[in-house]
Amino acid sequence: MKPSEDHGAYRKILLASISAMVAETTTFPIDLTKTRLQLHGESVSVGSVRPTNGFLVASEIVRQQGPLGLYKGLSPAILRHLFYTPIRIVGYEHLRSSLKTEVQLVASPADLVKVRMQADGRMVSQGLQPRYSGCFDALNKIVRSEGIGGLWKGVFPNVQRAFLVNMGELACYDQAKHFVIKNRISEDNIYAHTLASIMSGLSATALSCPADVVKTRMMNQSRSKQGKIMYNNSYDCLVKTVKVEGLRALWKGFMPTWARLGPWQFVFWVSYEKFRQIAGFSSF
């Protein structure tokens, strides 16, 4: 890579980081609601799962913890995207093909902390003390109680989810935007970006939701005082979830996930495309 190209790549990474932080902050309450829905019914016997929905979950969070409760775990979520999103976006642009999984391996500990902190709200609602007071407290306690390897708990379903999300998100956005422009449905502007982001959000959600449910549950589990864990591995988690809660449980949080991915994609892509234009880069 030439020095000028290298400098350009760094600038694109910076622009992608800023766009990802804007998108993550805007849509984080929906992500929190989705995580709580995915954990709903866990550890409950067959036939005892009470029905709920995203609106009820979000209302309960605001009632018990106030509006700021919807942003529990935002800092590790932003930290994750500082590593994950810029590299996959800029990498995809260069390769225009499937991304390598090493990027998700680096970002997985931040995702683990985000899931744990989001799940802590359930403990507060049950009158229990939260496990972690903040991002760094969570990292410290996880390493002390579970070892360094504990930071990568759930990494395999996380990698699987990342592959499916990237396949549905980046490839679909790329193809949908070019389809819209090529067929003169719209010029390369905010309308084309909106249509493409809606399609990519839907396809990414449909493909990745089962892996996302397994990832969330694997990351949230910790050993009991007796040294036991709920799931031995991703497959065990998948089987137990379906056995106790039914096949539909694998798509728990589908609507909040799509409701988040759609706006997230819209905010990210519109911001990123605009920042690229201001910086003098061509359209993605």
Side-chain angles (χ1 to χ4, degrees), residues 16-39:
S17 296
I18 296 172
S19 302
M21 286 189 288
V22 172
E24 188 67 17
T25 303
T26 303
T27 62
F28 189 80
I30 305 175
D31 184 44
L32 174 63
T33 302
K34 179 262 301 182
T35 298
R36 295 286 183 84
L37 275 173
Q38 290 176 336
L39 293 174

Tab-separated table of all heavy atoms in Angstrom, residues 16-39:
chain	number	residue	atom	x	y	z
A	16	ALA	N	-15.232	6.198	10.029
A	16	ALA	CA	-16.102	5.072	10.379
A	16	ALA	C	-16.292	4.981	11.895
A	16	ALA	O	-17.391	4.659	12.369
A	16	ALA	CB	-15.520	3.768	9.837
A	17	SER	N	-15.239	5.289	12.661
A	17	SER	CA	-15.333	5.259	14.126
A	17	SER	C	-16.328	6.299	14.629
A	17	SER	O	-17.172	6.004	15.483
A	17	SER	CB	-13.957	5.531	14.754
A	17	SER	OG	-13.028	4.520	14.430
A	18	ILE	N	-16.235	7.506	14.100
A	18	ILE	CA	-17.143	8.579	14.515
A	18	ILE	C	-18.582	8.225	14.151
A	18	ILE	O	-19.508	8.379	14.954
A	18	ILE	CB	-16.735	9.911	13.858
A	18	ILE	CG1	-15.347	10.343	14.355
A	18	ILE	CG2	-17.756	11.005	14.177
A	18	ILE	CD1	-14.780	11.544	13.626
A	19	SER	N	-18.772	7.728	12.936
A	19	SER	CA	-20.118	7.352	12.484
A	19	SER	C	-20.691	6.225	13.334
A	19	SER	O	-21.882	6.229	13.673
A	19	SER	CB	-20.076	6.921	11.009
A	19	SER	OG	-19.571	7.956	10.191
A	20	ALA	N	-19.848	5.250	13.692
A	20	ALA	CA	-20.302	4.118	14.508
A	20	ALA	C	-20.698	4.580	15.908
A	20	ALA	O	-21.682	4.093	16.475
A	20	ALA	CB	-19.209	3.056	14.595
A	21	MET	N	-19.937	5.512	16.497
A	21	MET	CA	-20.265	6.026	17.829
A	21	MET	C	-21.589	6.780	17.814
A	21	MET	O	-22.394	6.655	18.742
A	21	MET	CB	-19.136	6.926	18.337
A	21	MET	CG	-17.895	6.172	18.782
A	21	MET	SD	-16.684	7.217	19.626
A	21	MET	CE	-16.047	8.178	18.247
A	22	VAL	N	-21.829	7.551	16.762
A	22	VAL	CA	-23.104	8.273	16.634
A	22	VAL	C	-24.260	7.279	16.520
A	22	VAL	O	-25.277	7.401	17.206
A	22	VAL	CB	-23.084	9.204	15.402
A	22	VAL	CG1	-24.470	9.802	15.156
A	22	VAL	CG2	-22.058	10.319	15.586
A	23	ALA	N	-24.088	6.264	15.667
A	23	ALA	CA	-25.144	5.273	15.454
A	23	ALA	C	-25.397	4.450	16.714
A	23	ALA	O	-26.547	4.159	17.065
A	23	ALA	CB	-24.771	4.352	14.287
A	24	GLU	N	-24.335	4.053	17.413
A	24	GLU	CA	-24.472	3.219	18.610
A	24	GLU	C	-25.185	3.982	19.726
A	24	GLU	O	-26.078	3.441	20.392
A	24	GLU	CB	-23.098	2.751	19.092
A	24	GLU	CG	-23.140	1.727	20.209
A	24	GLU	CD	-23.710	0.387	19.782
A	24	GLU	OE1	-23.779	0.127	18.564
A	24	GLU	OE2	-24.095	-0.403	20.669
A	25	THR	N	-24.805	5.236	19.940
A	25	THR	CA	-25.432	6.041	20.986
A	25	THR	C	-26.913	6.278	20.686
A	25	THR	O	-27.757	6.231	21.578
A	25	THR	CB	-24.718	7.395	21.120
A	25	THR	OG1	-23.317	7.170	21.402
A	25	THR	CG2	-25.313	8.221	22.254
A	26	THR	N	-27.226	6.496	19.418
A	26	THR	CA	-28.614	6.767	19.015
A	26	THR	C	-29.524	5.569	19.237
A	26	THR	O	-30.673	5.717	19.671
A	26	THR	CB	-28.663	7.180	17.532
A	26	THR	OG1	-27.813	8.316	17.319
A	26	THR	CG2	-30.076	7.527	17.106
A	27	THR	N	-29.032	4.380	18.964
A	27	THR	CA	-29.887	3.180	18.971
A	27	THR	C	-29.654	2.260	20.164
A	27	THR	O	-30.271	1.199	20.250
A	27	THR	CB	-29.656	2.362	17.675
A	27	THR	OG1	-28.270	1.927	17.636
A	27	THR	CG2	-29.950	3.201	16.449
A	28	PHE	N	-28.795	2.650	21.114
A	28	PHE	CA	-28.438	1.747	22.205
A	28	PHE	C	-29.628	1.292	23.053
A	28	PHE	O	-29.678	0.115	23.452
A	28	PHE	CB	-27.385	2.384	23.114
A	28	PHE	CG	-26.824	1.425	24.123
A	28	PHE	CD1	-25.839	0.510	23.761
A	28	PHE	CD2	-27.288	1.407	25.434
A	28	PHE	CE1	-25.333	-0.403	24.688
A	28	PHE	CE2	-26.791	0.508	26.357
A	28	PHE	CZ	-25.810	-0.398	25.979
A	29	PRO	N	-30.604	2.162	23.382
A	29	PRO	CA	-31.761	1.683	24.167
A	29	PRO	C	-32.478	0.503	23.512
A	29	PRO	O	-32.970	-0.395	24.215
A	29	PRO	CB	-32.666	2.920	24.235
A	29	PRO	CG	-31.721	4.068	24.157
A	29	PRO	CD	-30.665	3.624	23.180
A	30	ILE	N	-32.530	0.477	22.183
A	30	ILE	CA	-33.168	-0.641	21.495
A	30	ILE	C	-32.321	-1.901	21.644
A	30	ILE	O	-32.847	-3.001	21.807
A	30	ILE	CB	-33.371	-0.311	20.002
A	30	ILE	CG1	-34.145	1.002	19.853
A	30	ILE	CG2	-34.137	-1.436	19.303
A	30	ILE	CD1	-34.279	1.463	18.409
A	31	ASP	N	-30.995	-1.741	21.611
A	31	ASP	CA	-30.093	-2.890	21.781
A	31	ASP	C	-30.232	-3.466	23.181
A	31	ASP	O	-30.248	-4.690	23.370
A	31	ASP	CB	-28.654	-2.441	21.523
A	31	ASP	CG	-27.678	-3.606	21.577
A	31	ASP	OD1	-27.984	-4.667	21.008
A	31	ASP	OD2	-26.604	-3.463	22.197
A	32	LEU	N	-30.352	-2.605	24.188
A	32	LEU	CA	-30.535	-3.064	25.564
A	32	LEU	C	-31.838	-3.847	25.705
A	32	LEU	O	-31.875	-4.923	26.317
A	32	LEU	CB	-30.552	-1.858	26.506
A	32	LEU	CG	-30.875	-2.144	27.981
A	32	LEU	CD1	-29.811	-3.035	28.601
A	32	LEU	CD2	-30.997	-0.851	28.758
A	33	THR	N	-32.906	-3.330	25.106
A	33	THR	CA	-34.197	-4.015	25.135
A	33	THR	C	-34.103	-5.381	24.475
A	33	THR	O	-34.639	-6.375	24.967
A	33	THR	CB	-35.265	-3.167	24.422
A	33	THR	OG1	-35.357	-1.886	25.055
A	33	THR	CG2	-36.624	-3.847	24.457
A	34	LYS	N	-33.395	-5.435	23.346
A	34	LYS	CA	-33.206	-6.698	22.633
A	34	LYS	C	-32.472	-7.725	23.497
A	34	LYS	O	-32.861	-8.893	23.562
A	34	LYS	CB	-32.427	-6.429	21.341
A	34	LYS	CG	-32.137	-7.654	20.491
A	34	LYS	CD	-30.739	-8.221	20.704
A	34	LYS	CE	-29.645	-7.245	20.402
A	34	LYS	NZ	-28.298	-7.864	20.570
A	35	THR	N	-31.430	-7.293	24.198
A	35	THR	CA	-30.667	-8.199	25.060
A	35	THR	C	-31.535	-8.752	26.183
A	35	THR	O	-31.503	-9.951	26.485
A	35	THR	CB	-29.450	-7.468	25.653
A	35	THR	OG1	-28.589	-7.051	24.594
A	35	THR	CG2	-28.663	-8.383	26.590
A	36	ARG	N	-32.325	-7.887	26.806
A	36	ARG	CA	-33.200	-8.341	27.888
A	36	ARG	C	-34.235	-9.341	27.377
A	36	ARG	O	-34.580	-10.307	28.063
A	36	ARG	CB	-33.913	-7.139	28.513
A	36	ARG	CG	-32.981	-6.162	29.204
A	36	ARG	CD	-32.456	-6.686	30.533
A	36	ARG	NE	-31.631	-5.684	31.170
A	36	ARG	CZ	-32.109	-4.684	31.924
A	36	ARG	NH1	-33.406	-4.588	32.138
A	36	ARG	NH2	-31.289	-3.809	32.459
A	37	LEU	N	-34.770	-9.108	26.172
A	37	LEU	CA	-35.734	-10.039	25.592
A	37	LEU	C	-35.099	-11.398	25.329
A	37	LEU	O	-35.721	-12.444	25.533
A	37	LEU	CB	-36.291	-9.465	24.285
A	37	LEU	CG	-37.479	-8.506	24.400
A	37	LEU	CD1	-37.783	-7.903	23.040
A	37	LEU	CD2	-38.701	-9.214	24.951
A	38	GLN	N	-33.845	-11.391	24.871
A	38	GLN	CA	-33.161	-12.643	24.577
A	38	GLN	C	-32.882	-13.447	25.841
A	38	GLN	O	-32.809	-14.674	25.809
A	38	GLN	CB	-31.865	-12.366	23.821
A	38	GLN	CG	-32.094	-11.861	22.400
A	38	GLN	CD	-30.801	-11.496	21.698
A	38	GLN	OE1	-29.797	-11.192	22.340
A	38	GLN	NE2	-30.812	-11.525	20.382
A	39	LEU	N	-32.728	-12.760	26.976
A	39	LEU	CA	-32.487	-13.434	28.244
A	39	LEU	C	-33.782	-13.797	28.951
A	39	LEU	O	-33.772	-14.572	29.907
A	39	LEU	CB	-31.648	-12.530	29.165
A	39	LEU	CG	-30.204	-12.264	28.708
A	39	LEU	CD1	-29.550	-11.241	29.620
A	39	LEU	CD2	-29.390	-13.551	28.681
